[in-house]
Amino acid sequence: MRSPKLPGPALPLLILLLLLPPPGSESGPAPFDPTWESLDARQLPAWFDKAKFGIFIHWGVFSVPSFGSEWFWWYWQEEKIPAYVNFMKNNYPPDFTYEDFGPLFTAKFFDANQWADILQASGAKYVVLTSKHHEGFTLWGSEYSWNWNAVDTGPKRDIVKELAGAVRNRTDLRFGLYYSLFEWFHPLFLEDESSLFQKRQYPVSKMLPELYELVNKYQPEVLWSDGDGGAPDTYWKSLDFLAWLYNESPVRDTVVTNDRWGAGSICKHGGYYTCSDRYNPGHLLPHKWENCMTIDKFSWGYRRNAEISDYLTIEELVKQLVQTVSCGGNLLMNIGPTQDGTISAIFKERLRQMGIWLKVNGDAIYETNAWRSQNDTVTPDVWYTSKPKDKLVYAMFLKWPISGQLFLGQPKATLGATEVKLLGHGQPLYWTPLRENGIKVDLPQLTIHQMPCQWGWALALTNVT
C-alpha cells in the first residue's frame, strides 16, 4: 500500500513547502489534523447544501438473485432465513454458491449515457453509486479485489469509470461513490473481528488501499461511507484517511462525506449526518443532514418479487422531498437497477416525475434555507423554505383546498409590500390578513389541465416575516 503521507524531504525544502499555500489556493485553510475535533470543524462545501436532491444507485452482484434484499447473501448463508434458503433450493443447484452469481452479473444493457440522461431528467444535483457493497464486489477493477470485481468478472467493464464519465460529460450533477468499509465474509475481516479488532489486517491490506485508489482514480465529490462492522474508527484508521482526503486528495476542496466512519460516529461525527436509513425527523436540526431513502419501501437493491404497492407514489416522494428540505436536509432517493443494467420502468417514471415537479417548483427547493417555521400551524401539509437575500419565503402545500382558499398561519404580511405568486402560474394572487396571525390566499381557479403541476404546489411570498 502506498502511504498517503509524503516522504520526508530535506529540511530546507520542507520549510519551503510549509510556507507555500496548497495547490489551487492563494491562502488555503490550515491543514486538518486526524482528530474528530479538527475534522468536524471543516466547513461543508457550499454546493452540497444548495443541491438538496440526489439519487442513490444500489447495484451489484445482489442484483442477480434480485430477491428480498441487497442483503441476500447474508440472509441466505448467515441468518438462513427460510424464504431465502427456499428461493435458492427451488431455483439453483445444491452446490451453487454466491460467488457463482458473479458471472451472471452481466450489465449487458448498461448504457452510462442513458443513465446520465435519466439522472439529469430527475432534477437531482448529485448521484451516489455503490462502488462496493457489503458483499465486497467492486464496480471498478480494484487492484485489491482480485477476480471479485466488474472488470475481471461479470460485466468485464469499469462501471465506475463509465458512469463517472457520462455524468460529468452530459449532466450538471456531481458524481459520488458509496463504499462499504467492511465485507461480510472477507477472511481477513473475520479474523480481525475474532480478535476483537486488535488485529488490523483487513483495513491495512484491503479497505484503506482501496479507498485511496478509488479517490485518486475517480475523484468522487461525495464519499458515502457505510458498514463499520461494529469496529471503531481507530480500527478503520478513518481519521487519518479523512485528514488526507481534506488536506491532500484531488477532491479536497469539494468533497463531502457522511457520518459512518466507525462504530459510534453516526449522527455525531463527519461531514453531514445520516443518523439512520430513511431518517426524516420532521423538525429542524442544527447540523446538515441527509435523508437517504428508497422508492422501494423494503429494499435498496432491485427486487423481482416487488409488488406495485411496495413502491412509493410520486405524491409520497414529493412529500419526502418537501419535508426534508424544509427541515434543512438533503434527500438522497434510491433506485436499484437490474443485473443486466436496466433501470426498470417504475424507477424511470418516478425519476422523470420528480424532474417534472422540480422544473415548476425548483425555486422553492434548490439553494434555499430553512425558515423560522418549518411547517404551518393552521393548515397541515404546508412546508416552508426561504431565500433571505431575495426576501422570499416559499410555502409548499400538498393538498389543493376544495374552497380554493389557502390559510397560512405563519407568514406575517404587510399590505402594499407583500406579494404572493403560485410557481408555474406567475400572476399575483389576492390575499387578506387573518384576524390574529397569517394570511388567507385566494388560489387561481384552474382546470386540471391548467394546473402548473399535479403533486404539490408552491407559493412564493415576497416581503413576509
Side-chain angles (χ1 to χ4, degrees):
M1 165 190 158
R2 181 179 293 173
S3 169
K5 294 183 179 178
L6 295 171
L11 189 59
L13 179 57
L14 177 60
I15 294 169
L16 180 61
L17 287 171
L18 290 172
L19 291 173
L20 288 172
S25 170
E26 289 183 6
S27 56
F32 295 96
D33 298 322
T35 65
W36 280 128
E37 184 181 14
S38 177
L39 297 169
D40 287 346
R42 178 182 183 254
Q43 193 168 357
L44 203 66
W47 74 262
F48 184 74
D49 181 56
K50 292 177 180 178
K52 305 301 184 188
F53 179 45
I55 302 299
F56 218 167
I57 302 175
H58 271 65
W59 200 31
V61 172
F62 52 79
S63 306
V64 179
S66 54
F67 175 86
S69 167
E70 72 289 346
W71 279 56
F72 183 92
W73 194 3
W74 181 263
Y75 291 155
W76 167 39
Q77 294 282 19
E78 184 67 23
E79 295 195 12
K80 300 187 184 336
I81 294 174
Y84 293 81
V85 173
N86 291 334
F87 174 82
M88 291 303 299
K89 188 177 177 182
N90 295 334
N91 295 286
Y92 295 92
D95 57 348
F96 195 94
T97 68
Y98 191 81
E99 288 85 350
D100 292 329
F101 283 124
L104 303 178
F105 178 53
T106 63
K108 189 193 310 185
F109 300 122
F110 171 59
D111 182 338
N113 289 337
Q114 185 188 59
W115 280 29
D117 293 347
I118 294 168
L119 293 169
Q120 179 73 20
S122 75
K125 297 301 180 187
Y126 61 105
V127 59
V128 179
L129 172 70
T130 51
S131 68
K132 184 197 80 168
H133 201 256
H134 310 325
E135 64 188 13
F137 189 91
T138 67
L139 294 190
W140 83 101
S142 168
E143 292 180 27
Y144 308 93
S145 189
W146 181 81
N147 219 32
W148 192 234
N149 67 75
V151 174
D152 293 339
T153 303
K156 304 292 177 72
R157 297 162 68 178
D158 188 331
I159 301 295
V160 174
K161 180 182 178 181
E162 288 185 40
L163 189 60
V167 166
R168 286 166 175 153
N169 291 333
R170 299 173 72 93
T171 78
D172 61 1
L173 280 79
R174 307 265 183 162
F175 182 74
L177 291 171
Y178 164 108
Y179 180 86
S180 173
L181 301 178
F182 90 131
E183 296 172 21
W184 287 315
F185 302 113
H186 196 290
L188 291 181
F189 176 76
L190 294 176
E191 193 176 326
D192 290 353
E193 185 181 39
S194 68
S195 76
L196 300 179
F197 303 114
Q198 294 306 302
K199 292 182 180 178
R200 293 192 175 91
Q201 302 169 92
Y202 173 78
V204 169
S205 63
K206 176 67 159 73
M207 162 259 176
L208 283 167
E210 211 161 59
L211 265 182
Y212 287 115
E213 178 186 50
L214 200 60
V215 172
N216 283 318
K217 200 167 184 180
Y218 304 106
Q219 303 187 14
E221 291 185 276
V222 180
L223 192 56
W224 217 100
S225 177
D226 191 28
D228 60 45
D233 56 58
T234 50
Y235 168 78
W236 297 114
K237 296 189 180 294
S238 300
L239 301 179
D240 290 321
F241 171 77
L242 289 171
W244 170 82
L245 186 71
Y246 295 165
N247 290 330
E248 301 176 50
S249 81
V251 287
R252 60 188 173 274
D253 295 327
T254 57
V255 70
V256 295
T257 60
N258 65 346
D259 55 350
R260 304 185 182 196
W261 293 99
S265 73
I266 194 166
C267 218
K268 186 176 178 184
H269 295 299
Y272 60 87
Y273 293 169
T274 62
C275 298
S276 65
D277 292 349
R278 302 178 180 87
Y279 182 68
N280 190 7
H283 58 84
L284 187 64
L285 295 184
H287 192 94
K288 184 64 190 180
W289 61 283
E290 181 183 68
N291 173 7
C292 61
M293 46 72 68
T294 56
I295 298 176
D296 176 348
K297 299 172 193 173
F298 304 108
S299 176
W300 297 82
Y302 176 71
R303 290 190 305 142
R304 286 180 287 171
N305 59 322
E307 301 288 343
I308 190 68
S309 58
D310 293 344
Y311 296 102
L312 293 176
T313 64
I314 183 57
E315 291 87 353
E316 290 170 320
L317 293 172
V318 166
K319 183 174 182 176
Q320 286 269 330
L321 177 66
V322 165
Q323 282 184 330
T324 299
V325 174
S326 294
C327 296
N330 280 18
L331 187 74
L332 186 62
M333 186 176 84
N334 180 74
I335 61 170
T338 65
Q339 56 87 19
D340 59 12
T342 303
I343 297 174
S344 63
I346 190 86
F347 289 135
K348 281 183 184 175
E349 182 185 54
R350 294 292 182 270
L351 292 173
R352 293 189 185 280
Q353 286 173 326
M354 289 294 274
I356 289 167
W357 190 86
L358 282 162
K359 199 163 268 187
V360 174
N361 300 289
D363 284 351
I365 298 292
Y366 305 125
E367 301 191 26
T368 58
N369 295 359
W371 194 43
R372 60 173 176 80
S373 294
Q374 280 61 68
N375 58 324
D376 199 66
T377 50
V378 172
T379 303
D381 277 334
V382 174
W383 297 83
Y384 293 103
T385 57
S386 69
K387 288 181 178 171
K389 288 181 182 177
D390 300 325
K391 297 183 178 178
L392 278 168
V393 170
Y394 295 97
M396 292 171 281
F397 58 106
L398 303 175
K399 294 176 184 172
W400 192 277
I402 296 171
S403 67
Q405 296 178 325
L406 186 65
F407 293 83
L408 301 175
Q410 284 301 315
K412 297 174 184 175
T414 305
L415 289 168
T418 297
E419 188 175 72
V420 180
K421 289 183 178 180
L422 177 69
L423 293 188
H425 178 255
Q427 299 300 314
L429 304 181
Y430 180 73
W431 64 270
T432 52
L434 296 177
R435 186 171 296 174
E436 292 184 8
N437 282 312
I439 59 175
K440 178 186 75 174
V441 179
D442 290 346
L443 298 173
Q445 295 183 343
L446 303 172
T447 68
I448 193 165
H449 300 295
Q450 294 172 318
M451 288 277 186
C453 53
Q454 301 175 49
W455 314 296
W457 304 266
L459 294 178
L461 313 173
T462 310
N463 294 317
V464 297
T465 58

